[in-house]
Amino acid sequence: MTDEKHAMTMKEFDLKVATFLALFANAQPGVVRKVAPKDLSDPKNQAEVDEAKRNLLKLMAIGGMAALGGGGAVVGALQYLQPPMVGLPAYPKVQLLYEDGTPVVTTSYRYNYTDKGQIIFDYPLTNEPNMLLNLEYPAPNGIGPNKTIVAFSAICQHLGCIPPYISYYPPGECPGWNEDKGFIHCTCHGSTYNPYVVATANGGGAAIITGPTVLPIPQVILEEDASHYVYATKLIGPPVKGHFNTLTGGNGVSSSVKTSSPLTPVQSCPT
Ligand code: FES
C-alpha cells in the first residue's frame, strides 16, 4: 500500500516536471500559453523528465548547503517545485490602453488624483498588477511632456498587499511626507516608497522611505512612440513579491493590456 501510494506520488511529480518542461519549450514573448505535460509513455520524454529531476535534486542540495549557512536558497528550491502554469522567456513590449480600448496618450493623460482615482494594469503577467501614475514633478524614467508619467508594481514588497491597500499619495495628502512631493504607501503595515528615487540596490525600483519592507518596489519601464502612445517594456528592481521571477508564476499577457477603471484606494497617512 505504501509502495503504491509512493508510486502514485512519483507519477504525479513526473507529470509536474513534464508540464514545466513543456511550458518552456519554444515559448514566445507576450504569448499566452497553456500547455499539456509531455507524454510520459514516450521514453525520450521520460528521459528528459529524469534529467530535470536530477538537476532539481542538485539545486535542492545546493539550497540545503546554503540554508546551513543561513541562506534562503531552500526557499528558491521549494518554489521551483511549484512549476508556473504559464511563463514568459523575456519581457514583451505591450501597448497600454484605457479600459474602453483607446490608447493611453502621454500628451492627454486622462486622469489626475483629485478624485483619488488609481489606474491599474497587469504586466508582464495577468496576476502582476502595476499602478500607472502621472506625478506632479519629473521623475526617474518618466515619460511624457513633463517626464512625469511612470509606473510601479502594485504588489507591496513586504507581504504582497495589492490595491486598494497600496496606492499613490499626492502632495499635500499627508503633509510633511517625502517633502510633500507625493509617495507610495501600503496601509497593510505602513511601508512607504519614493517614486522620485531609484533604489541603488536590488536593480532599481522606487526606493524605500519606511519599512517594514526591505525591498524597493519594482518599476515598469515605459516608452512612448511618435504618436505619444505608451508601452510597457520591462520591470527593474527585485522580482515582484510572491514570484520567484517576475516572468514566471502566473498567466501571460497579449500584445496590449487595458488599464482598470479608476479604483478608490483605501488611504490613511502613515504614522
Ligand atoms: Fe505592505 Fe506589509 S504588505 S506594508
Side-chain angles (χ1 to χ4, degrees):
M1 182 67 182
T2 305
D3 284 349
E4 191 179 317
K5 192 173 176 183
H6 176 71
M8 284 290 289
T9 303
M10 287 307 294
K11 188 177 177 188
E12 286 168 6
F13 183 71
D14 281 6
L15 276 171
K16 281 194 169 190
V17 175
T19 304
F20 187 84
L21 291 173
L23 174 65
F24 286 99
N26 305 314
Q28 296 296 317
V31 175
V32 177
R33 307 185 70 231
K34 290 182 180 174
V35 299
K38 293 193 173 191
D39 179 9
L40 292 178
S41 65
D42 182 333
K44 181 171 171 289
N45 289 338
Q46 184 64 55
E48 282 183 18
V49 167
D50 291 339
E51 174 67 21
K53 284 194 297 186
R54 279 192 292 276
N55 289 335
L56 176 58
L57 287 172
K58 285 179 199 166
L59 178 65
M60 293 181 73
I62 293 167
M65 284 187 283
L68 286 174
V74 163
V75 174
L78 290 176
Q79 286 175 311
Y80 187 85
L81 276 172
Q82 299 293 327
M85 292 172 61
V86 175
L88 300 169
Y91 285 106
K93 180 176 178 177
V94 299
Q95 185 175 7
L96 300 190
L97 310 175
Y98 288 116
E99 67 277 12
D100 61 6
T102 57
V104 175
V105 181
T106 61
T107 49
S108 57
Y109 189 75
R110 192 178 284 183
Y111 300 111
N112 58 34
Y113 299 99
T114 54
D115 59 356
K116 294 186 178 180
Q118 183 173 206
I119 314 302
I120 304 298
F121 66 96
D122 288 333
Y123 177 84
L125 302 173
T126 51
N127 60 347
E128 293 178 335
N130 304 278
M131 56 184 91
L132 182 63
L133 307 174
N134 187 14
L135 303 175
E136 287 72 15
Y137 302 97
N141 301 310
I143 63 169
N146 300 312
K147 307 298 181 198
T148 54
I149 297 176
V150 291
F152 294 94
S153 171
I155 307 175
C156 182
Q157 284 288 327
H158 176 224
L159 292 178
C161 278
I162 59 174
Y165 301 103
I166 183 170
S167 65
Y168 172 67
Y169 289 55
E173 188 73 20
C174 301
W177 273 86
N178 199 27
E179 301 172 340
D180 274 356
K181 287 182 73 178
F183 59 97
I184 296 166
H185 172 48
C186 176
T187 56
C188 288
H189 311 97
S191 296
T192 51
Y193 307 88
N194 191 342
Y196 292 100
V197 176
V198 176
T200 52
N202 305 109
I208 300 166
I209 302 174
T210 60
T213 183
V214 295
L215 291 171
I217 203 156
Q219 180 172 20
V220 182
I221 299 300
L222 302 174
E223 283 181 14
E224 70 178 305
D225 65 13
S227 299
H228 306 291
Y229 295 159
V230 177
Y231 302 82
T233 65
K234 66 176 179 178
L235 275 86
I236 61 171
V240 295
K241 182 68 182 180
H243 290 191
F244 185 49
N245 180 314
T246 303
L247 292 172
T248 62
N251 299 311
V253 294
S254 60
S255 57
S256 64
V257 290
K258 289 184 180 180
T259 60
S260 71
S261 301
L263 303 174
T264 302
V266 173
Q267 291 190 328
S268 61
C269 288
T271 53

